[in-house]
Amino acid sequence: QQQVKQSPQSLIVQKGGISIINCAYENTAFDYFPWYQQFPGKGPALLIAIRPDVSEKKEGRFTISFNKSAKQFSLHIMDSQPGDSATYFCAAGDISNFGNEKLTFGTGTRLTIIP
Amino acid sequence: DGGITQSPKYLFRKEGQNVTLSCEQNLNHDAMYWYRQDPGQGLRLIYYSQIVNDFQKGDIAEGYSVSREKKESFPLTVTSAQKNPTAFYLCASSPSSRGRTEAFFGQGTRLTVV
């Protein structure tokens, strides 16, 4: 019930291309879906997040698409750049349940952008 | 600057020893978390605390202990009972108020058993 499945495990995209990472969840109580970006040797940093009342959220080159009926959400990185090379984690949480807002993370996707 | 400070950055432990990882935050966040990161397994929750003097076990608490005596501090002790402690440990905090659960992470501590 708490699992968040993320794919692919690794992804290689050419500079300027679109990077797509997918996640699926099982717990229908989840109502907060963030994506984190992590560079080697550093802690993850929040990239973008979405609530289930919208199907898409865009911030610059980063877009989250959310499909509530399929219990899936994805991260799209447009015009991918070498600086985007990092590990990306999706996560899910139940923020309406006060005192139980801990996040469940996916297993991560190592993204490499090649020139 | 506000943030989360983890120390040390690298830590070496002999088998059978207990070691304590430090985590301090000045964000005035109520909730704090400890995650363990292993290659290919993402972030797994060890312990979390929503309020001072209270904490709950996460998914992989065996062999670990924590304390939350101050709002700013949430140290993690890796005990000798943890059979495979070599990993990257991440501390995080969040406001823990309704509708606000953005987690801010520290820079991590890499623990190696020698």
Side-chain angles (χ1 to χ4, degrees):
Chain A
Q1 277 292 323
Q2 295 295 322
Q3 195 174 13
V4 176
K5 295 182 180 179
Q6 183 172 346
S7 63
Q9 188 174 3
S10 63
L11 180 63
I12 299 174
V13 174
Q14 211 153 22
K15 179 182 176 183
I18 303 173
S19 304
I20 301 174
I21 305 171
N22 301 298
C23 282
Y25 63 97
E26 299 170 354
N27 187 347
T28 54
F30 287 150
D31 58 2
Y32 174 70
F33 303 92
W35 285 89
Y36 282 81
Q37 179 188 55
Q38 184 181 31
F39 294 104
K42 304 294 185 183
L46 180 67
L47 189 62
I48 186 173
I50 196 169
R51 299 292 305 276
D53 52 340
V54 296
S55 60
E56 185 175 282
K57 182 174 182 180
K58 184 176 181 179
E59 290 184 3
R61 296 184 294 109
F62 301 91
T63 299
I64 298 180
S65 296
F66 182 78
N67 185 330
K68 188 175 182 178
S69 61
K71 292 187 285 186
Q72 296 175 346
F73 58 108
S74 60
L75 176 69
H76 296 235
I77 305 175
M78 312 299 287
D79 187 26
S80 299
Q81 299 297 312
D84 297 330
S85 296
T87 299
Y88 292 81
F89 292 95
C90 64
D94 176 11
I95 65 173
S96 299
N97 186 0
F98 182 72
N100 191 35
E101 303 98 327
K102 62 185 187 297
L103 297 173
T104 299
F105 284 84
T107 52
T109 296
R110 178 173 289 183
L111 174 64
T112 303
I113 307 301
I114 57 176
Chain B
D1 287 333
I4 300 176
T5 302
Q6 288 187 242
S7 61
K9 188 171 182 179
Y10 299 97
L11 186 58
F12 297 90
R13 188 195 94 169
K14 292 182 179 179
E15 288 194 18
Q17 278 185 337
N18 292 354
V19 290
T20 297
L21 284 59
S22 171
C23 178
E24 303 278 334
Q25 55 100 357
N26 60 5
L27 299 167
N28 199 33
H29 286 170
D30 289 315
M32 297 188 74
Y33 311 83
W34 274 105
Y35 290 90
R36 169 178 171 144
Q37 185 174 17
D38 297 281
Q41 296 198 51
L43 280 69
R44 293 182 292 168
L45 184 64
I46 304 173
Y47 268 98
Y48 65 104
S49 168
Q50 300 285 5
I51 196 170
V52 174
N53 292 323
D54 188 39
F55 48 84
Q56 289 79 41
K57 293 181 179 180
D59 300 318
I60 55 165
E62 184 176 351
Y64 301 97
S65 66
V66 293
S67 63
R68 187 84 187 276
E69 298 176 359
K70 299 186 299 181
K71 187 175 184 178
E72 303 79 22
S73 178
F74 191 41
L76 173 74
T77 296
V78 184
T79 74
S80 57
Q82 171 51 237
K83 298 306 179 188
N84 185 22
T86 294
F88 190 50
Y89 291 87
L90 288 160
C91 179
S93 71
S94 68
S96 189
S97 57
R98 187 179 293 274
R100 298 183 61 207
T101 193
E102 176 182 346
F104 293 82
F105 283 85
Q107 296 297 291
T109 293
R110 187 165 297 281
L111 173 64
T112 304
V113 174
V114 296

